[in-house]
Amino acid sequence: MSPRQGGRVGAPTSPDGGSTSPARPTRRQFLKVSLSAGGGLVVVLHGPWANGNSAAAAAGVQTTSDDFRAGPFVTVHPDGSATIYAKNPEIGQGVKTSLPMIVAEELGVAWESVRVEQAPYDPDRFGPQYAGGSTGITTNWDRLRIAGAGARHLLVAAASNRWGVDPADCSAANGVVAHGTGAGRRELAYGELLTEAAGIQPPDPESLILKRPSEFTIVGTSRSDVDLKEIVTGRTRYGLDYRVDGMQFAVIARAPTFGGRVRSFDAKPALAIPGVRQVVEIEPLDNRAYMSGGVAVVADSTWAAIKGRGALVVDWEPGPHATESSETLRDQFSQLIEGKGEVVRHDGDVDEALSSAVTRLEAVYEVPFLYHATMEPMNCVADARGDQIEIWAPTQVPGLCVALASIVTGVPREAITVHMLRAGGGFGRRLMAEYAAEAAAVSKATGAPVQVSCTREDDMRHGYYRPAGMYRMSAGLDGDGTLIAWESNVSTTSRHAFRGDEDTAAETEVFPDALPGAAAPNFRVTYAPAETSVPTGALRGPGKNATTFVEQCFLDEIAHASGQDPVAIRRRVIGEPRELPYRDHGGPTFQTGRIRHVLDVAVEESGWNRSLAVSSDRSGARPTGRRGRGVAAHMMFGAYVAHVAEVTVANDGRVRVDRVVCALDCGIVVNPIGARAQVEGGILHGISAVLHGEITIADGGAVEGNFDDYPLLRLDEAPEIEIHFVESSEHPQGLGEMAFPGIMPAVCNAVFDATGVRVRRLPIDVAELRFG
Amino acid sequence: MATITLTVNGRLHTVDVEPDMPLLWVLRDILGLTGTKFGCGKALCGSCTVHRIRSGVATAVRSCALPIATLDGAEIVTIEGLSDDGSHAVQRAWIEEDVPQCGYCQPGQIMAAAALLAADPRPRDAEIDNAMRGVLCRCGTHARIRAAIHRAAAGGGDR
């Protein structure tokens, strides 16, 4: 029994990188106000969402109209409390708290009186809803302020009408409108003004007076995660915890080779396992990137499903890439970086400049496939009985869940509901949505609600990995040590190519406007995608998490080869404060003054010029190995980030990161404690990748299967972390991805400082660092 | 099938399940206690950590690798039973230090920390590292976990 396959998946690109740019309300919007059934004041922001359609399309949503209704974000209740919807998926990045903080700030209520509710997936009401590209804060900042300020405007107008005074003479804070001072002071609580406020003509959003940053009382203050108590008491329901009446549990047997498919299977041994109810085949989508199919075992419990799958006998057609391995891929990369790629950018004459350079360097760098390793494996609950589908998903892209569920079942998108559940980690993995396609397909086939879940081995061996790649780097300096030529010849397993997207394969893999290369007058970037069946996707700081490692380490090599300090060469490359064009995500400009400033802060706070001997590790014990310090600085999706890392390399080659200092300029910081958490997380994620992260390929499949052969950073490996945010009133940027890429080169540069051994291939090979 | 009787969070339960079913799946899929999380199935990540009580002493155990057949008559405490209302010293410290990001691993972290403090009310960093390195966190809450354990220790780890 197989579910119907409704058609080919088009090319829903994910909002995870280069194509997503911050949206601001640039066209007319208007506010609409009404009373809810419970007597609450509902304020709805209507009007076009700038870039809304492109962002929604990027999330896999086809919008029917340019005229989004945005809201209702705010309901003010008669008791003066407010309910604010959290519009985007929460995956641990903190937007369920920080986005409503923005609304509450302008609304003028005490944060303690706010109740936050997770919005359902309804982009016609809420605008684009996804978690990707670190865009949540930066693209919603203006529109959420308008939603809050519009409600405040109406409440102030209602009070001033009642008092017969000029609203400009009134103030609003903590849910109270006030007028006058001393004995003449009058106050009205928001809850007393709702009926009158609902009768007032809503203001033109462009006429609203938003607060000055100096007036903020919520934005810029630390607020705990709104789910904090639920989490520490175990009451939060993640995807795996969701239960529906009559729900069954399923796991899927997937082909051991990427690109493989079911030839035939024998369900009888599986059905003989107590608790197993059904065995159904799930056909792959035409574009396998979106669902690769397999055989689902459906049972009364997860354990019975796992045991049933163990007994299942499947004959697999291995597919066209069954002999692929990490070695065959490296051979491909090695050939493809020899100048055979597409020229993505060429300024000046690189060949001429390199041949005339006084100092010339070449080096080849490599990065492995990386696994996301969300602690909650992929899973989804779907109820596809009848002509409607209901989906409960920990996802970053509810829109893509709808699109894929519609394709695999033939049920129209309008009849599909997605509930966004708090996700046990995302990191870009949940920008794909095969779990929703699988759950919908299995539920449709069995006629019962089902939870499809992955074991750790399923999740690790059937991921969408950070692309592997190889980078041939060349640089030339003149007699003054000035960088006059830079060339990157790059080959990776492009995720655009994997998905068959129309965007060029290079787009997610190289960033030709980024420093340091773009600072060289003679500059060339070439790119050639490798042919592979290994699934790839976006992982935290996609593309950047490879190029930043390569470029910031190679710049360090250039510094040492030309007798320059690693900080001094960076200041030289960055140059005077100015705006450079930057056409990727985070642009349209690259502000060199901001990167220079965070570099200076990190250098100063780390004590760069002090001897490392005076430092000690966290426990105060004297370091017993070789110590070193390294630096990196780059722009990441519009934020400017610098890292200094200190390491100790033991005589047996093991690397311990002792201390990290990170300086960031991300504009206004909405929730400092949440912002720091994101930076801490990015740093530890990066250290984990540098020390341990690698998926290897053999016989057409992924070798590693669980945390014994794919280790993650453990508590005893975590360094001291110091974070410095630059005070700023610039438009806020996201933070989820910003601190991840730069820590990798900072650590590797520190390893070089300690040992004289240059790490050009990740993860770090301990054997190369042994001493004596 | 095996009939197993065990105490979970002070309540006696009798379950009729396959004898090799790990405690984790009994808790989650049979008893409906979903606060204990699945992470690896091989006692490698600690997300499934619960307490087994013997002679009144709580020991942290990985429920994903503990066949139910070995637990007849056992006493188990899960995150739902650590306190009624989040008032356990470790939970309070987790709140004060704003430890969680995604939060998925935190029930396992909290149960491991509570067992550590029950055995050693004033652990040093090295002892914390040693006791807690078995519970993975992917979001990077490591520093806050250390701080929260010190805070709970200073406030007196009850239980």
Side-chain angles (χ1 to χ4, degrees):
Chain A
M1 184 175 182
S2 299
R4 175 171 169 237
Q5 196 174 309
R8 191 178 192 286
V9 176
T13 56
S14 295
D16 51 12
S19 61
T20 313
S21 56
R24 299 199 186 197
T26 56
R27 291 155 63 197
R28 284 189 63 80
Q29 298 174 316
F30 62 96
L31 289 157
K32 194 174 172 186
V33 68
S34 60
L35 279 178
S36 71
L41 181 69
V42 181
V43 178
V44 186
L45 174 66
H46 287 260
W49 295 65
N51 295 341
N53 284 347
S54 61
V61 186
Q62 297 304 311
T63 55
T64 52
S65 151
D66 190 36
D67 188 32
F68 276 105
R69 290 193 301 130
F73 290 111
V74 180
T75 303
V76 181
H77 302 289
D79 67 359
S81 67
T83 299
I84 300 178
Y85 269 125
K87 67 184 280 285
N88 282 359
E90 173 63 57
I91 60 172
Q93 84 281 43
V95 293
K96 189 174 177 185
T97 306
S98 54
L99 293 179
M101 282 174 68
I102 299 168
V103 179
E105 176 67 67
E106 292 289 350
L107 178 59
V109 292
W111 181 244
E112 294 70 25
S113 70
V114 171
R115 189 173 75 240
V116 173
E117 281 186 21
Q118 177 69 55
Y121 176 64
D122 187 351
D124 286 345
R125 288 169 67 196
F126 296 103
Q129 294 175 279
Y130 66 90
S134 293
T135 55
I137 292 285
T138 197
T139 61
N140 288 292
W141 171 251
D142 288 328
R143 60 185 65 149
L144 294 180
R145 292 181 77 191
I146 289 168
R152 171 166 49 90
H153 173 96
L154 294 167
L155 292 157
V156 168
S160 64
N161 282 351
R162 201 187 286 187
W163 291 327
V165 301
D166 185 346
D169 294 333
C170 297
S171 62
N174 291 318
V176 172
V177 184
H179 178 264
T181 54
R185 180 178 168 90
R186 289 178 289 189
E187 293 187 351
L188 280 167
Y190 282 4
E192 302 173 65
L193 296 165
L194 303 185
T195 309
E196 288 151 87
I200 291 170
Q201 175 68 29
D204 177 351
E206 286 174 13
S207 74
L208 288 171
I209 298 169
L210 302 177
K211 289 184 176 181
R212 290 187 294 272
S214 61
E215 297 174 300
F216 289 162
T217 58
I218 295 174
V219 167
T221 65
S222 286
R223 304 293 171 168
S224 292
D225 191 295
V226 294
D227 290 337
L228 180 56
K229 188 159 184 185
E230 297 284 304
I231 291 169
V232 304
T233 51
R235 292 197 293 257
T236 303
R237 285 208 287 184
Y238 297 86
L240 273 181
D241 306 328
Y242 208 79
R243 300 288 182 264
V244 178
D245 280 348
M247 189 187 94
Q248 296 179 324
F249 299 85
V251 295
I252 296 177
R254 296 175 179 81
T257 53
F258 298 122
R261 60 191 307 151
V262 178
R263 201 180 272 144
S264 65
F265 65 95
D266 180 4
K268 281 192 294 294
L271 290 166
I273 300 292
V276 173
R277 296 293 164 198
Q278 290 192 64
V279 176
V280 294
E281 183 179 352
I282 305 301
E283 286 187 16
L285 286 166
D286 289 352
N287 185 341
R288 301 177 52 100
Y290 292 93
M291 187 175 72
S292 58
V295 182
V297 178
V298 186
D300 293 342
S301 71
T302 313
W303 179 246
I306 292 170
K307 279 188 76 178
R309 184 179 61 177
L312 184 70
V313 179
V314 185
D315 181 20
W316 298 102
E317 162 68 49
H321 290 271
T323 59
E324 185 164 19
S325 69
S326 292
E327 288 70 34
T328 61
L329 265 169
R330 287 186 81 195
D331 290 346
Q332 264 201 76
F333 291 146
S334 300
Q335 291 172 26
L336 288 166
I337 60 172
E338 294 304 323
K340 290 178 188 157
E342 160 203 1
V343 176
V344 181
R345 178 171 171 177
H346 191 181
D347 296 355
D349 186 335
V350 166
D351 298 320
E352 163 62 25
L354 283 173
S355 66
S356 66
V358 173
T359 307
R360 183 175 166 171
L361 266 87
E362 283 192 22
V364 173
Y365 282 79
E366 285 179 71
V367 300
F369 292 112
L370 288 179
Y371 164 58
H372 294 82
T374 60
M375 289 312 299
E376 182 190 19
M378 295 307 110
N379 68 88
C380 185
V381 174
D383 183 352
R385 292 173 294 181
D387 50 10
Q388 307 249 328
I389 300 179
E390 202 161 5
I391 291 169
W392 294 264
T395 184
Q396 297 178 237
V397 281
L400 187 57
C401 292
V402 171
L404 295 182
S406 175
I407 288 167
V408 299
T409 60
V411 173
R413 293 181 185 199
E414 308 80 68
I416 300 173
T417 304
V418 175
H419 305 276
M420 294 178 272
L421 302 179
R422 190 179 182 97
F427 317 117
R429 175 61 179 85
R430 296 184 212 269
L431 287 165
M432 299 303 280
E434 84 291 350
Y435 40 83
E438 291 170 348
V442 174
S443 177
K444 191 82 178 171
T446 60
V450 71
Q451 177 177 73
V452 172
S453 61
C454 284
T455 62
R456 181 57 60 187
E457 288 79 6
D458 297 339
D459 201 71
M460 197 176 287
R461 295 204 172 110
H462 300 278
Y464 292 90
Y465 311 109
R466 191 281 301 274
M470 193 178 284
Y471 303 74
R472 191 169 69 99
M473 308 299 292
S474 311
L477 288 78
D478 67 12
D480 293 334
T482 300
L483 185 66
I484 57 166
W486 178 287
E487 176 159 28
S488 307
N489 304 120
V490 180
S491 178
T492 70
T493 61
S494 162
R495 70 179 198 271
H496 275 185
F498 168 69
R499 292 196 298 241
D501 289 353
E502 288 169 11
D503 309 284
T504 75
E507 191 176 303
T508 56
E509 307 303 308
V510 292
F511 304 92
D513 289 348
L515 293 182
N522 303 287
F523 173 44
R524 184 164 58 202
V525 179
T526 69
Y527 180 78
E531 172 72 24
T532 180
S533 65
V534 179
T536 49
L539 187 150
R540 202 171 200 163
K544 285 274 183 183
N545 59 33
T547 60
T548 306
F549 158 69
V550 173
E551 293 164 357
Q552 291 290 315
C553 286
F554 189 54
L555 186 59
D556 223 56
E557 293 201 56
I558 295 168
H560 288 282
S562 58
Q564 303 183 65
D565 176 78
V567 172
I569 199 169
R570 284 175 169 77
R571 287 177 175 150
R572 200 166 166 181
V573 165
I574 291 165
E576 293 303 307
R578 65 202 187 285
E579 296 204 342
L580 302 175
Y582 190 85
R583 280 155 288 192
D584 281 305
H585 180 27
T589 60
F590 182 114
Q591 298 170 36
T592 58
R594 294 177 79 181
I595 191 69
R596 170 65 192 261
H597 185 59
V598 293
L599 174 64
D600 287 351
V601 170
V603 164
E604 170 71 22
E605 296 292 340
S606 70
W608 180 265
N609 293 315
R610 285 201 302 270
S611 166
L612 262 181
V614 300
S615 305
S616 62
D617 66 12
R618 182 170 45 77
S619 65
R622 275 195 80 76
T624 54
R626 296 153 288 170
R627 304 211 66 212
R629 183 154 51 198
V631 64
H634 74 135
M635 189 267 267
M636 176 75 224
F637 290 177
Y640 297 81
V641 191
H643 294 81
V644 173
E646 296 174 9
V647 304
T648 300
V649 183
N651 289 343
D652 64 4
R654 278 179 303 135
V655 174
R656 182 191 165 79
V657 182
D658 302 312
R659 176 177 178 239
V660 174
V661 177
C662 183
L664 303 95
D665 176 358
C666 58
I668 291 169
V669 175
V670 173
N671 187 11
I673 200 165
R676 300 181 81 82
Q678 291 308 300
V679 176
E680 291 164 12
I683 288 168
L684 295 180
H685 194 163
I687 295 171
S688 191
V690 162
L691 298 183
H692 305 303
E694 179 170 25
I695 290 287
T696 48
I697 306 299
D699 301 324
V703 172
E704 291 77 11
N706 212 317
F707 296 125
D708 45 0
D709 49 16
Y710 194 95
L712 302 185
L713 193 81
R714 292 184 182 271
L715 192 71
D716 54 327
E717 301 172 290
E720 291 280 359
I721 297 174
E722 298 167 32
I723 298 164
H724 302 275
F725 287 107
V726 172
E727 283 263 345
S728 173
S729 55
E730 297 269 352
H731 188 88
Q733 303 294 329
L735 275 171
E737 300 170 81
M738 299 0 187
F740 174 60
I743 186 62
M744 294 187 262
V747 167
C748 293
N749 291 339
V751 167
F752 177 82
D753 187 42
T755 64
V757 176
R758 179 58 63 185
V759 176
R760 296 199 187 93
R761 183 182 177 191
L762 292 178
I764 290 172
D765 183 354
V766 168
E768 289 185 358
L769 303 179
R770 286 196 186 116
F771 181 67
Chain B
M1 299 292 265
T3 301
I4 304 292
T5 299
L6 75 170
T7 303
V8 180
N9 301 331
R11 283 186 57 190
L12 205 60
H13 294 273
T14 299
V15 293
D16 221 16
V17 293
E18 287 295 292
D20 59 352
M21 184 184 282
L23 171 63
L24 172 70
W25 299 115
V26 174
L27 293 171
R28 292 179 53 82
D29 294 353
I30 310 296
L31 301 180
L33 294 170
T34 56
T36 304
K37 305 305 183 196
F38 169 75
C40 69
K42 289 184 174 174
L44 297 167
C45 80
S47 287
C48 66
T49 302
V50 298
H51 291 175
R52 182 166 186 187
I53 313 292
R54 283 174 164 133
S55 309
V57 176
T59 309
V61 295
R62 314 296 187 215
S63 64
C64 75
L66 212 51
I68 195 67
T70 67
L71 294 172
D72 197 33
E75 182 181 357
I76 301 295
V77 174
T78 71
I79 186 72
E80 290 93 341
L82 190 63
S83 70
D84 292 337
D85 53 0
S87 62
H88 187 281
V90 171
Q91 290 169 315
R92 294 201 314 268
W94 245 247
I95 289 170
E96 290 292 322
E97 294 290 339
D98 290 287
V99 174
Q101 289 185 33
C102 85
Y104 187 80
C105 73
Q106 300 300 339
Q109 304 280 3
I110 288 169
M111 296 308 283
L116 165 67
L117 289 172
D120 180 356
R122 294 284 170 143
R124 291 170 300 169
D125 271 344
E127 289 147 4
I128 293 173
D129 283 358
N130 191 47
M132 300 298 293
R133 71 181 307 281
V135 191
L136 291 173
C137 168
R138 183 51 149 174
C139 294
T141 64
H142 303 51
R144 297 184 194 209
I145 287 171
R146 276 199 201 110
I149 292 173
H150 283 305
R151 178 187 282 270
D158 53 26
R159 196 174 192 116

